[in-house]
Amino acid sequence: RKRVAGATHTHTHTRKRNTRMVGSLEGRKIVQAHKADDWATGTHNSSSIATKSHSYALVILNAGTVGVSGTIDVTVEESDVSGSGYTAVTGAAFVQIDSARDDGVYTGHLNLNARKAFIRVVAVVGTATCGVGVTVLLSPDDTRHDTNPIFSV
């Protein structure tokens, strides 16, 4: 089809839209546990994450630049109530992130069956400011897309 200079061309395409995506998020919930940012040294607790109606959690750690001698330790804790009484989930810890492991994405799987009603993600930044972000994907089924997680409990 040739275009003629100065001519206008208008037409409407009618296309059936597929509303179901591959890897649909139906029944799943994405939670931003820690907004990606440069975090100062100290302990940073995420808000409480309700696990009701979900059986698995995929915890995604996005490590940015780690400052000189800096470290990031990220763990998952659980509680029966939102906001208090949290204890560590045995085995739900990422390897320590330092300058040798920065600028990477790491994942962990958490089976929520027989777990307490709420989880939170704790990021401890040591020695120097570090870039970090954590996202949690809650799922009603076992959706382990990553075959090499840092932890799987």
Side-chain angles (χ1 to χ4, degrees), residues 134-145:
V134 181
T135 302
V136 177
L137 173 62
L138 299 171
S139 176
D141 54 11
D142 186 356
T143 52
R144 298 182 192 197
H145 299 294

Side-chain angles (χ1 to χ4, degrees), residues 55-62 74-76 89-95 97 104-112 115 119 121 133-139 141-153:
S55 298
Y56 291 89
L58 174 64
V59 183
I60 306 163
L61 167 61
N62 186 353
V74 177
T75 59
V76 179
V89 174
T90 303
F94 289 92
V95 295
I97 307 299
V105 177
Y106 304 90
T107 61
H109 299 147
L110 183 62
N111 182 338
L112 299 174
R115 292 257 171 243
I119 61 171
V121 179
V134 181
T135 302
V136 177
L137 173 62
L138 299 171
S139 176
D141 54 11
D142 186 356
T143 52
R144 298 182 192 197
H145 299 294
D146 183 2
T147 58
N148 193 22
I150 298 297
F151 67 82
S152 186
V153 294

